Amino acid sequence: MLIDLLHLLLIIAFAIVFSWSIYNALLFFTGFFSWFSKKNYRTSTDRNRLSRNNSPPPFVSIIVPVKDGERVLPRLMEHLLNLDYPRDRMEIILVEDGSRDNSYNLCLGYAKRYPSLVKVLHRDESRGKPDALNFALKHALGDVLAFFDVDSVVKRDSLKRAIELLRESNVAAIQQRTVSLNYDQNILTRLIYIEETCSSIILEGRNALKLFVPLTGSCMFIKRDIIEKVGGWNIESLTEDAELSVRLHKEGFVIVYDKEIGAYQEAPASLRSFIKQRIRWYRGLIETFAQSLKIAKNMGRKLIDAMAYLASPLMVLLSQSFYCSLATIVLLGYNSPILQVIFQISLISLLLFMASLVAFILKFVNWRLNESLVTSCLTFCYWFLVAFIALISFLNVLVGTRKEWYVTPKG
């Protein structure tokens, strides 16, 4: 009886994992072909037309939450001060959020040197990033709000490109691509770079199919009136960007993904920092997924896709549990013709995934063959690690442990 129940659970898990994998593969290949078609959200003719528009550019508030950013803030400010955008049409708001280093004095120094451009908001005690963003929103003057993390290295045309895309009346926000600045620092940062590159292609697939495009926390641009309409950020959320994205899509607003690089930023280079960062991310996504189930009966295809995105940590955990359980039960001899077929399909799928990953790294990341083979093998170790972190995050949600906003150390 127990074996029959286990067989049934494995068949159900296979159906879910296989369907989710096929769905993401379709998004990936759609994004891959869209990426290399060299077509962005607008044609070059549209961009030229917008560039020739005689109306003054909108006033932009660039908001940067700063917490313990002493080591990287000068680098960010150097790039923000050199943006290809009129200085009289922008302001830089530094939200110094209870730092324990010299960040506040650095912020005040920039405000003193650029009094008409830089504004400093200070709080003695941090209450998390979403609360800091709501605090900045009350003081921002811009019609468009731009958001960057303190470790960002912003490309000079980032703001100008985003403003061109935001001129479309139905577009509420732009999420530009971000890339690891330190991708070659160690094995972990290389694996993170592979993951984020694949994620960028899937986001381009979602964008091409006009599905759910999430905001990712940095290098994002939002129209002020729209963010005020949906009530700003949820201060209880650990992934305020994803939670805000769901509300924007629910209200019918469009978020566009710009596959051109908007900024570089630091990936966690230590295992401890990586685990703490991902526990926060995955717990936030799981909690947002659970909250979004309340609107399931009114979901269109965008919100269905949003649920698939938010459920990603749970799906990684389920897929890892499924493959380990399937391999165990087959090796122990407790199998059936159906499980044999499932085992063969799963094995073939993993081999195809491995071959596709090697080809992807060779073509897209431009690493050598030996680097690609080693990285592809290490990806499975990374997959186990991510599944373990997802399990911890899921247990934290079930137990209801105290939420903690962890700021990844910046080097």
PDB file of all heavy atoms in Angstrom, residues 29 58 60 64 74 90 106 122 175 193 209 220 232 267 277 281 382-383 411:
ATOM      1  N   PHE A  29      13.656  29.430 -25.020  1.00  0.00           N
ATOM      2  CA  PHE A  29      13.957  29.436 -26.453  1.00  0.00           C
ATOM      3  C   PHE A  29      13.278  30.605 -27.163  1.00  0.00           C
ATOM      4  O   PHE A  29      13.819  31.155 -28.123  1.00  0.00           O
ATOM      5  CB  PHE A  29      13.569  28.099 -27.076  1.00  0.00           C
ATOM      6  CG  PHE A  29      14.525  26.992 -26.745  1.00  0.00           C
ATOM      7  CD1 PHE A  29      14.165  25.966 -25.895  1.00  0.00           C
ATOM      8  CD2 PHE A  29      15.817  27.007 -27.249  1.00  0.00           C
ATOM      9  CE1 PHE A  29      15.055  24.951 -25.562  1.00  0.00           C
ATOM     10  CE2 PHE A  29      16.726  26.002 -26.936  1.00  0.00           C
ATOM     11  CZ  PHE A  29      16.342  24.968 -26.089  1.00  0.00           C
ATOM     12  N   PRO A  58      11.095  64.196 -19.072  1.00  0.00           N
ATOM     13  CA  PRO A  58      10.470  64.248 -17.740  1.00  0.00           C
ATOM     14  C   PRO A  58      11.510  64.408 -16.644  1.00  0.00           C
ATOM     15  O   PRO A  58      12.673  64.020 -16.799  1.00  0.00           O
ATOM     16  CB  PRO A  58       9.768  62.891 -17.642  1.00  0.00           C
ATOM     17  CG  PRO A  58      10.508  62.002 -18.585  1.00  0.00           C
ATOM     18  CD  PRO A  58      10.942  62.882 -19.713  1.00  0.00           C
ATOM     19  N   VAL A  60      13.265  63.324 -13.402  1.00  0.00           N
ATOM     20  CA  VAL A  60      13.505  61.979 -12.871  1.00  0.00           C
ATOM     21  C   VAL A  60      14.124  62.062 -11.478  1.00  0.00           C
ATOM     22  O   VAL A  60      15.083  62.803 -11.256  1.00  0.00           O
ATOM     23  CB  VAL A  60      14.443  61.172 -13.802  1.00  0.00           C
ATOM     24  CG1 VAL A  60      14.695  59.779 -13.227  1.00  0.00           C
ATOM     25  CG2 VAL A  60      13.853  61.081 -15.197  1.00  0.00           C
ATOM     26  N   VAL A  64      18.341  55.854  -4.319  1.00  0.00           N
ATOM     27  CA  VAL A  64      19.339  54.844  -3.965  1.00  0.00           C
ATOM     28  C   VAL A  64      19.268  54.583  -2.458  1.00  0.00           C
ATOM     29  O   VAL A  64      19.652  55.446  -1.661  1.00  0.00           O
ATOM     30  CB  VAL A  64      20.761  55.298  -4.328  1.00  0.00           C
ATOM     31  CG1 VAL A  64      21.766  54.185  -3.988  1.00  0.00           C
ATOM     32  CG2 VAL A  64      20.859  55.680  -5.794  1.00  0.00           C
ATOM     33  N   PRO A  74      31.025  55.725  -3.674  1.00  0.00           N
ATOM     34  CA  PRO A  74      31.745  56.617  -4.597  1.00  0.00           C
ATOM     35  C   PRO A  74      31.715  56.119  -6.041  1.00  0.00           C
ATOM     36  O   PRO A  74      31.618  56.931  -6.968  1.00  0.00           O
ATOM     37  CB  PRO A  74      33.165  56.639  -4.032  1.00  0.00           C
ATOM     38  CG  PRO A  74      33.010  56.348  -2.578  1.00  0.00           C
ATOM     39  CD  PRO A  74      31.880  55.359  -2.514  1.00  0.00           C
ATOM     40  N   MET A  90      16.812  66.139 -13.336  1.00  0.00           N
ATOM     41  CA  MET A  90      16.960  64.966 -12.473  1.00  0.00           C
ATOM     42  C   MET A  90      17.407  65.368 -11.078  1.00  0.00           C
ATOM     43  O   MET A  90      17.930  66.461 -10.862  1.00  0.00           O
ATOM     44  CB  MET A  90      17.972  63.969 -13.068  1.00  0.00           C
ATOM     45  CG  MET A  90      19.358  64.534 -13.286  1.00  0.00           C
ATOM     46  SD  MET A  90      20.495  63.366 -14.094  1.00  0.00           S
ATOM     47  CE  MET A  90      21.148  62.517 -12.659  1.00  0.00           C
ATOM     48  N   LEU A 106      29.550  60.344   3.863  1.00  0.00           N
ATOM     49  CA  LEU A 106      29.796  60.360   2.423  1.00  0.00           C
ATOM     50  C   LEU A 106      28.615  60.967   1.681  1.00  0.00           C
ATOM     51  O   LEU A 106      28.790  61.785   0.768  1.00  0.00           O
ATOM     52  CB  LEU A 106      30.055  58.945   1.909  1.00  0.00           C
ATOM     53  CG  LEU A 106      31.477  58.389   2.063  1.00  0.00           C
ATOM     54  CD1 LEU A 106      31.523  56.954   1.564  1.00  0.00           C
ATOM     55  CD2 LEU A 106      32.469  59.246   1.292  1.00  0.00           C
ATOM     56  N   HIS A 122      17.885  60.716   5.850  1.00  0.00           N
ATOM     57  CA  HIS A 122      18.577  59.902   6.863  1.00  0.00           C
ATOM     58  C   HIS A 122      17.584  59.320   7.859  1.00  0.00           C
ATOM     59  O   HIS A 122      16.644  59.988   8.290  1.00  0.00           O
ATOM     60  CB  HIS A 122      19.611  60.759   7.611  1.00  0.00           C
ATOM     61  CG  HIS A 122      20.235  60.057   8.778  1.00  0.00           C
ATOM     62  ND1 HIS A 122      21.084  58.982   8.642  1.00  0.00           N
ATOM     63  CD2 HIS A 122      20.114  60.272  10.116  1.00  0.00           C
ATOM     64  CE1 HIS A 122      21.478  58.570   9.829  1.00  0.00           C
ATOM     65  NE2 HIS A 122      20.899  59.336  10.743  1.00  0.00           N
ATOM     66  N   GLN A 175      12.205  47.396 -16.640  1.00  0.00           N
ATOM     67  CA  GLN A 175      13.247  46.665 -15.919  1.00  0.00           C
ATOM     68  C   GLN A 175      14.393  46.405 -16.879  1.00  0.00           C
ATOM     69  O   GLN A 175      14.239  45.671 -17.847  1.00  0.00           O
ATOM     70  CB  GLN A 175      12.719  45.334 -15.365  1.00  0.00           C
ATOM     71  CG  GLN A 175      13.780  44.494 -14.672  1.00  0.00           C
ATOM     72  CD  GLN A 175      14.404  45.208 -13.480  1.00  0.00           C
ATOM     73  OE1 GLN A 175      13.712  45.542 -12.521  1.00  0.00           O
ATOM     74  NE2 GLN A 175      15.707  45.459 -13.536  1.00  0.00           N
ATOM     75  N   TYR A 193      26.509  33.805 -12.351  1.00  0.00           N
ATOM     76  CA  TYR A 193      26.467  34.477 -13.652  1.00  0.00           C
ATOM     77  C   TYR A 193      25.733  33.632 -14.689  1.00  0.00           C
ATOM     78  O   TYR A 193      24.936  34.160 -15.480  1.00  0.00           O
ATOM     79  CB  TYR A 193      27.897  34.764 -14.118  1.00  0.00           C
ATOM     80  CG  TYR A 193      27.985  35.439 -15.467  1.00  0.00           C
ATOM     81  CD1 TYR A 193      27.505  36.732 -15.644  1.00  0.00           C
ATOM     82  CD2 TYR A 193      28.541  34.776 -16.557  1.00  0.00           C
ATOM     83  CE1 TYR A 193      27.594  37.358 -16.879  1.00  0.00           C
ATOM     84  CE2 TYR A 193      28.627  35.402 -17.795  1.00  0.00           C
ATOM     85  CZ  TYR A 193      28.154  36.682 -17.949  1.00  0.00           C
ATOM     86  OH  TYR A 193      28.225  37.297 -19.168  1.00  0.00           O
ATOM     87  N   LEU A 209       6.544  37.470 -25.347  1.00  0.00           N
ATOM     88  CA  LEU A 209       5.206  36.866 -25.346  1.00  0.00           C
ATOM     89  C   LEU A 209       4.188  37.715 -24.598  1.00  0.00           C
ATOM     90  O   LEU A 209       3.038  37.303 -24.441  1.00  0.00           O
ATOM     91  CB  LEU A 209       5.273  35.474 -24.719  1.00  0.00           C
ATOM     92  CG  LEU A 209       6.093  34.431 -25.499  1.00  0.00           C
ATOM     93  CD1 LEU A 209       6.224  33.149 -24.691  1.00  0.00           C
ATOM     94  CD2 LEU A 209       5.457  34.144 -26.855  1.00  0.00           C
ATOM     95  N   MET A 220      15.588  49.737 -12.245  1.00  0.00           N
ATOM     96  CA  MET A 220      14.187  49.733 -12.661  1.00  0.00           C
ATOM     97  C   MET A 220      13.655  51.163 -12.629  1.00  0.00           C
ATOM     98  O   MET A 220      14.107  51.993 -11.840  1.00  0.00           O
ATOM     99  CB  MET A 220      13.345  48.810 -11.777  1.00  0.00           C
ATOM    100  CG  MET A 220      13.358  49.127 -10.306  1.00  0.00           C
ATOM    101  SD  MET A 220      12.477  47.861  -9.344  1.00  0.00           S
ATOM    102  CE  MET A 220      12.433  48.660  -7.720  1.00  0.00           C
ATOM    103  N   GLY A 232       2.340  52.157  -3.456  1.00  0.00           N
ATOM    104  CA  GLY A 232       3.753  52.043  -3.083  1.00  0.00           C
ATOM    105  C   GLY A 232       4.168  50.619  -2.781  1.00  0.00           C
ATOM    106  O   GLY A 232       3.591  49.658  -3.287  1.00  0.00           O
ATOM    107  N   ALA A 267      27.671  40.277  -7.276  1.00  0.00           N
ATOM    108  CA  ALA A 267      27.063  39.041  -6.812  1.00  0.00           C
ATOM    109  C   ALA A 267      27.753  38.625  -5.516  1.00  0.00           C
ATOM    110  O   ALA A 267      28.933  38.918  -5.315  1.00  0.00           O
ATOM    111  CB  ALA A 267      27.229  37.951  -7.870  1.00  0.00           C
ATOM    112  N   GLN A 277      21.300  35.652   1.426  1.00  0.00           N
ATOM    113  CA  GLN A 277      20.574  36.432   0.420  1.00  0.00           C
ATOM    114  C   GLN A 277      19.437  35.624  -0.178  1.00  0.00           C
ATOM    115  O   GLN A 277      18.305  36.104  -0.290  1.00  0.00           O
ATOM    116  CB  GLN A 277      21.528  36.881  -0.685  1.00  0.00           C
ATOM    117  CG  GLN A 277      20.864  37.706  -1.779  1.00  0.00           C
ATOM    118  CD  GLN A 277      21.696  37.769  -3.054  1.00  0.00           C
ATOM    119  OE1 GLN A 277      21.906  36.754  -3.719  1.00  0.00           O
ATOM    120  NE2 GLN A 277      22.182  38.958  -3.388  1.00  0.00           N
ATOM    121  N   TRP A 281      15.296  35.968  -0.497  1.00  0.00           N
ATOM    122  CA  TRP A 281      14.622  35.991  -1.803  1.00  0.00           C
ATOM    123  C   TRP A 281      13.540  34.922  -1.885  1.00  0.00           C
ATOM    124  O   TRP A 281      12.396  35.211  -2.249  1.00  0.00           O
ATOM    125  CB  TRP A 281      15.647  35.754  -2.907  1.00  0.00           C
ATOM    126  CG  TRP A 281      16.513  36.918  -3.241  1.00  0.00           C
ATOM    127  CD1 TRP A 281      16.587  38.122  -2.583  1.00  0.00           C
ATOM    128  CD2 TRP A 281      17.445  37.005  -4.327  1.00  0.00           C
ATOM    129  NE1 TRP A 281      17.515  38.930  -3.183  1.00  0.00           N
ATOM    130  CE2 TRP A 281      18.050  38.281  -4.253  1.00  0.00           C
ATOM    131  CE3 TRP A 281      17.819  36.129  -5.330  1.00  0.00           C
ATOM    132  CZ2 TRP A 281      19.024  38.696  -5.167  1.00  0.00           C
ATOM    133  CZ3 TRP A 281      18.786  36.532  -6.242  1.00  0.00           C
ATOM    134  CH2 TRP A 281      19.375  37.804  -6.158  1.00  0.00           C
ATOM    135  N   TYR A 382      25.278  23.188  -7.750  1.00  0.00           N
ATOM    136  CA  TYR A 382      24.595  24.461  -7.490  1.00  0.00           C
ATOM    137  C   TYR A 382      23.083  24.243  -7.363  1.00  0.00           C
ATOM    138  O   TYR A 382      22.426  24.844  -6.513  1.00  0.00           O
ATOM    139  CB  TYR A 382      24.909  25.412  -8.643  1.00  0.00           C
ATOM    140  CG  TYR A 382      24.364  26.809  -8.495  1.00  0.00           C
ATOM    141  CD1 TYR A 382      24.980  27.732  -7.658  1.00  0.00           C
ATOM    142  CD2 TYR A 382      23.242  27.220  -9.218  1.00  0.00           C
ATOM    143  CE1 TYR A 382      24.494  29.031  -7.536  1.00  0.00           C
ATOM    144  CE2 TYR A 382      22.759  28.505  -9.108  1.00  0.00           C
ATOM    145  CZ  TYR A 382      23.384  29.404  -8.261  1.00  0.00           C
ATOM    146  OH  TYR A 382      22.890  30.682  -8.143  1.00  0.00           O
ATOM    147  N   TRP A 383      22.552  23.357  -8.189  1.00  0.00           N
ATOM    148  CA  TRP A 383      21.126  23.035  -8.161  1.00  0.00           C
ATOM    149  C   TRP A 383      20.742  22.434  -6.810  1.00  0.00           C
ATOM    150  O   TRP A 383      19.707  22.790  -6.222  1.00  0.00           O
ATOM    151  CB  TRP A 383      20.826  22.068  -9.306  1.00  0.00           C
ATOM    152  CG  TRP A 383      19.387  21.774  -9.550  1.00  0.00           C
ATOM    153  CD1 TRP A 383      18.308  22.488  -9.124  1.00  0.00           C
ATOM    154  CD2 TRP A 383      18.856  20.678 -10.297  1.00  0.00           C
ATOM    155  NE1 TRP A 383      17.147  21.912  -9.564  1.00  0.00           N
ATOM    156  CE2 TRP A 383      17.449  20.796 -10.273  1.00  0.00           C
ATOM    157  CE3 TRP A 383      19.441  19.620 -10.984  1.00  0.00           C
ATOM    158  CZ2 TRP A 383      16.622  19.872 -10.916  1.00  0.00           C
ATOM    159  CZ3 TRP A 383      18.610  18.711 -11.624  1.00  0.00           C
ATOM    160  CH2 TRP A 383      17.222  18.829 -11.586  1.00  0.00           C
ATOM    161  N   GLY A 411      31.823  44.688  -1.789  1.00  0.00           N
ATOM    162  CA  GLY A 411      33.264  44.827  -1.756  1.00  0.00           C
ATOM    163  C   GLY A 411      33.790  45.914  -2.653  1.00  0.00           C
ATOM    164  O   GLY A 411      34.984  46.161  -2.676  1.00  0.00           O
TER     165      GLY A 411
END
